[in-house]
Amino acid sequence: MDEFVGLRCAEDLIRLRVFPNGKELAESMSAYSTVRHYLHAHSDSHSEKDGILSFRDKNVVLLAVGDGCTPRTATLFAFRSAWRCISIDPAMRVGGRWETVSNLQTMKSRVQDVTIPVSSHPDNVEMVVVVMWHCHCSISDALGCLEFDGVKWDVNDVQQSAKLRKRVALVTCACCNFDSVQRTMPDGSRPDAQFEDLAIPGLMRTVRKPLNRRAS
């Protein structure tokens, strides 16, 4: 919360009314902090390698699954990065002030019912960061909406998944009865990292990074 107060974009985020309360703000800040810690290149001189992204890179898609009735987490990332940020939730409100944010897109839908095209053009190869903070779906559902070269990701296709893992990172903080379907990847692989984020109010605050771009 202290970090949020010091942000230059804090006033704009408050004006857009994307955060209904402190709990939702804390969860979105937790998601951003996790991505920054595990996936972000912390300096311009940092060599580009698997798992490292830049907040200045416009060829990154941020997908906030189950973002709520307002695009909370996606808007935070939109203000604090150059990424193409997409917020998905069946309860999403239409016509909010946040629609003026140029690199933000909202979708009033279940993630199981949408398709997110990801560019594979040589001049515009997009990477993807999927954020699942207290959302009510499985990892398979979230990844299954991604479409590469006109083909949706079939998480049960071992060969396809091995290829696409190099372009997608995933961070989760499971909620309620969905912890069991967000603990591991569909192939059973365990998270690269797991910790308790004590800044998140409530009991459901186990943060996991089940999927990170990697060469193997």
Side-chain angles (χ1 to χ4, degrees):
M1 200 67 71
D2 290 343
E3 180 183 355
F4 178 80
V5 173
L7 295 178
R8 287 182 294 178
C9 62
E11 183 177 349
D12 292 321
L13 289 167
I14 293 172
R15 176 179 54 82
L16 294 178
R17 297 180 180 177
V18 291
F19 299 111
N21 52 54
K23 177 179 180 295
E24 302 295 346
L25 171 58
E27 291 175 2
S28 294
M29 289 293 291
S30 171
Y32 184 90
S33 177
T34 301
V35 170
R36 177 176 58 190
H37 180 77
Y38 286 104
L39 302 174
H40 177 232
H42 292 280
S43 69
D44 293 336
S45 61
H46 200 301
S47 60
E48 190 74 14
K49 59 183 179 181
D50 283 334
I52 301 299
L53 301 169
S54 169
F55 284 137
R56 299 177 183 178
D57 188 353
K58 294 183 179 181
N59 292 330
V60 177
V61 178
L62 183 284
L63 181 61
V65 182
D67 212 7
C69 61
T70 61
R72 302 155 191 169
T73 301
T75 302
L76 180 65
F77 274 91
F79 269 89
R80 304 189 70 185
S81 75
W83 297 356
R84 177 164 69 97
C85 300
I86 303 172
S87 178
I88 300 177
D89 198 290
M92 182 67 62
R93 294 210 313 259
V94 179
R97 299 180 180 183
W98 48 82
E99 293 189 359
T100 60
V101 182
S102 61
N103 59 327
L104 174 68
Q105 177 186 357
T106 60
M107 305 182 76
K108 180 181 174 64
S109 178
R110 300 190 315 155
V111 71
Q112 297 94 327
D113 300 327
V114 301
T115 298
I116 306 297
V118 182
S119 174
S120 298
H121 191 278
D123 296 330
N124 182 34
V125 177
E126 291 183 318
M127 303 302 176
V128 182
V129 176
V130 179
V131 174
M132 303 173 65
W133 242 247
H134 289 178
C135 69
H136 295 177
C137 72
S138 68
I139 288 177
S140 297
D141 290 333
L143 298 181
C145 76
L146 300 174
E147 180 183 83
F148 299 83
D149 297 321
V151 179
K152 271 197 169 184
W153 187 346
D154 179 0
V155 294
N156 296 313
D157 186 327
V158 177
Q159 186 174 5
Q160 183 193 34
S161 294
K163 178 181 178 181
L164 295 181
R165 285 173 74 102
K166 301 176 184 179
R167 295 181 58 186
V168 181
L170 171 72
V171 290
T172 75
C173 182
C175 173
C176 310
N177 298 322
F178 291 84
D179 184 71
S180 62
V181 292
Q182 294 182 22
R183 282 180 175 271
T184 64
M185 287 295 293
D187 63 4
S189 57
R190 305 296 298 177
D192 297 322
Q194 177 174 313
F195 63 94
E196 297 290 313
D197 189 342
L198 300 181
I200 299 177
L203 300 177
M204 305 303 292
R205 53 192 182 194
T206 301
V207 177
R208 301 184 179 96
K209 187 170 68 69
L211 175 62
N212 186 19
R213 295 190 299 127
R214 57 177 66 181
S216 59

